[in-house]
Coordinates of all heavy atoms in Angstrom, one line a residue:
Chain A
L1275 N -44.7 -21.3 -27.8 CA -44.2 -20.1 -27.2 C -45.1 -19.8 -25.9 O -44.6 -19.3 -24.9 CB -44.4 -18.9 -28.2 CG -43.8 -17.6 -27.8 CD1 -42.3 -17.7 -27.7 CD2 -44.2 -16.5 -28.8
I1276 N -46.3 -20.2 -26.0 CA -47.2 -19.9 -24.9 C -47.2 -21.0 -23.8 O -47.0 -20.8 -22.6 CB -48.7 -19.8 -25.4 CG1 -48.7 -18.5 -26.3 CG2 -49.6 -19.5 -24.2 CD1 -49.9 -18.5 -27.2
F1277 N -47.3 -22.3 -24.3 CA -47.2 -23.4 -23.3 C -45.8 -24.0 -23.4 O -45.4 -24.7 -24.4 CB -48.2 -24.5 -23.7 CG -49.6 -23.9 -23.8 CD1 -50.1 -23.7 -25.0 CD2 -50.3 -23.6 -22.7 CE1 -51.4 -23.2 -25.2 CE2 -51.6 -23.1 -22.8 CZ -52.1 -22.9 -24.0
R1278 N -45.0 -23.7 -22.4 CA -43.6 -24.1 -22.5 C -43.5 -25.7 -22.2 O -44.3 -26.2 -21.5 CB -42.7 -23.4 -21.4 CG -42.8 -22.0 -21.5 CD -41.9 -21.4 -22.6 NE -42.0 -20.0 -22.7 CZ -41.5 -19.1 -21.9 NH1 -40.8 -19.6 -20.8 NH2 -41.6 -17.9 -22.1
K1279 N -42.5 -26.3 -22.8 CA -42.3 -27.7 -22.5 C -41.7 -27.8 -21.1 O -40.9 -27.0 -20.7 CB -41.2 -28.3 -23.5 CG -41.9 -28.8 -24.8 CD -40.8 -29.2 -25.7 CE -41.3 -30.0 -26.8 NZ -41.9 -31.3 -26.4
K1280 N -42.0 -28.8 -20.5 CA -41.5 -29.0 -19.1 C -40.1 -29.6 -19.3 O -39.8 -30.5 -20.1 CB -42.4 -29.9 -18.3 CG -43.6 -29.2 -17.8 CD -44.3 -30.0 -16.7 CE -44.9 -31.2 -17.3 NZ -46.2 -31.4 -17.6
G1281 N -39.1 -29.1 -18.5 CA -37.7 -29.6 -18.5 C -37.6 -31.1 -18.1 O -36.8 -31.8 -18.7
S1282 N -38.5 -31.6 -17.2 CA -38.4 -32.9 -16.7 C -38.7 -34.0 -17.8 O -38.1 -35.1 -17.8 CB -39.3 -33.1 -15.6 OG -40.7 -32.9 -16.0
E1283 N -39.5 -33.6 -18.8 CA -39.8 -34.5 -19.9 C -38.5 -35.0 -20.6 O -38.3 -36.1 -20.9 CB -40.7 -33.9 -20.9 CG -42.2 -34.0 -20.5 CD -43.1 -33.6 -21.7 OE1 -42.6 -33.6 -22.9 OE2 -44.2 -33.3 -21.5
L1284 N -37.7 -34.0 -20.8 CA -36.4 -34.2 -21.5 C -35.6 -35.2 -20.7 O -35.0 -36.1 -21.2 CB -35.7 -32.9 -21.8 CG -34.4 -33.1 -22.6 CD1 -34.6 -33.7 -23.9 CD2 -33.6 -31.8 -22.6
D1285 N -35.5 -34.9 -19.4 CA -34.7 -35.7 -18.5 C -35.2 -37.2 -18.5 O -34.4 -38.1 -18.7 CB -34.8 -35.2 -17.1 CG -34.0 -33.9 -16.9 OD1 -33.3 -33.6 -17.9 OD2 -34.2 -33.2 -15.9
D1286 N -36.5 -37.4 -18.5 CA -37.1 -38.7 -18.5 C -36.7 -39.4 -19.8 O -36.3 -40.6 -19.9 CB -38.6 -38.7 -18.5 CG -39.1 -38.3 -17.1 OD1 -38.2 -38.3 -16.2 OD2 -40.3 -38.0 -16.9
E1287 N -36.7 -38.6 -20.9 CA -36.5 -39.2 -22.2 C -35.0 -39.6 -22.3 O -34.7 -40.7 -22.8 CB -36.8 -38.1 -23.3 CG -37.1 -38.7 -24.6 CD -37.5 -37.6 -25.6 OE1 -37.6 -36.4 -25.1 OE2 -37.6 -37.9 -26.8

Side-chain angles (χ1 to χ4, degrees):
Chain A
L1275 189 64
I1276 297 164
F1277 308 103
R1278 306 281 175 77
K1279 273 176 166 295
K1280 284 193 294 259
S1282 59
E1283 274 194 19
L1284 180 64
D1285 288 347
D1286 287 350
E1287 203 177 355

